[in-house]
Amino acid sequence: MHANSMDGYNQPNSVSTFTGNVLITQGTMKLTGQLAKIYTAKEDTSVDHIIVTATPQKQPHIEQIDDNGNLMTGDADQLYYDNVNAVAILTGHAHVWQQNKGESFGAKLTYNTQTGYMVGESGNEGQIRMTFLPKQKPLPPAKHGAGAPAPAATPAKPAAKTPATTKPASASSSPAPASSAPTKG
């Protein structure tokens, strides 16, 4: 954890307050903001949950890379992270964006950082809005050389109207025929 200042205890069942340029990391997950409270478990000093609250300078932010290498980011007025259950609850003008999946907006978005499962609530900010991205199709392999399809035929221009000096250099100097049948030899 990084911050400009810290106030609290590192003991069971305690609360520590971090202020100014707060950065909390755990694996690929990052939480950032200007004000964060870290709550420890009752039985030991492990982190039970974290609350990051918006300030005039900065809104709480979460980001994590999932098991498939896709980035998830989230912003809200308040971010509650349940470290025991790996659940982020974004409240107030919540926005979650998932790379290659889409984005969600709502008054409250609950996101499981392990499974990617999300629940949204509208509250007084209007309806939940979601955008789903279409599944990415793999690009066909590039074709080069003789196996490449011929470009669509265009009407031939008379040689007199197309000077040879302005013709672009190409592998073939004549246009492909409109249709061709394979020849047997």
Side-chain angles (χ1 to χ4, degrees):
M1 292 182 242
H2 300 274
N4 292 347
S5 66
M6 179 269 199
D7 178 23
Y9 300 100
N10 187 15
Q11 63 184 23
N13 201 28
S14 66
V15 179
S16 296
T17 302
F18 292 80
T19 56
N21 299 311
V22 177
L23 170 62
I24 303 167
T25 60
Q26 182 176 339
T28 64
M29 184 183 67
K30 288 187 213 175
L31 300 174
T32 60
Q34 290 296 319
L35 176 63
K37 292 188 182 257
I38 313 294
Y39 295 79
T40 58
K42 291 179 183 177
E43 55 280 344
D44 59 24
T45 59
S46 65
V47 174
D48 182 74
H49 65 278
I50 302 167
I51 299 175
V52 185
T53 307
T55 64
Q57 296 86 11
K58 189 170 188 173
Q59 207 177 21
H61 177 78
I62 183 173
E63 62 184 63
Q64 182 177 28
I65 298 173
D66 68 17
D67 291 342
N68 296 320
N70 294 315
L71 177 66
M72 176 282 295
T73 66
D75 298 287
D77 293 338
Q78 179 176 313
L79 174 68
Y80 175 98
Y81 183 71
D82 177 344
N83 193 47
V84 175
N85 298 303
V87 172
I89 302 170
L90 295 91
T91 308
H93 304 98
H95 173 232
V96 171
W97 175 80
Q98 296 171 289
Q99 181 180 5
N100 296 322
K101 292 182 181 180
E103 62 186 335
S104 304
F105 299 87
K108 181 179 178 182
L109 299 173
T110 303
Y111 180 83
N112 186 308
T113 61
Q114 291 179 333
T115 65
Y117 182 76
M118 190 170 10
V119 175
E121 297 176 27
S122 61
N124 60 357
E125 294 178 27
Q127 294 182 316
I128 298 291
R129 296 183 328 249
M130 296 185 85
T131 302
F132 292 96
L133 297 178
K135 184 175 180 177
Q136 298 292 321
K137 294 181 183 179
L139 294 174
K143 295 182 180 180
H144 299 288
T154 57
K157 295 181 181 177
K161 291 186 180 179
T162 308
T165 56
T166 61
K167 213 180 217 184
S170 66
S172 171
S173 60
S174 62
S179 66
S180 63
T183 58
K184 293 183 182 179

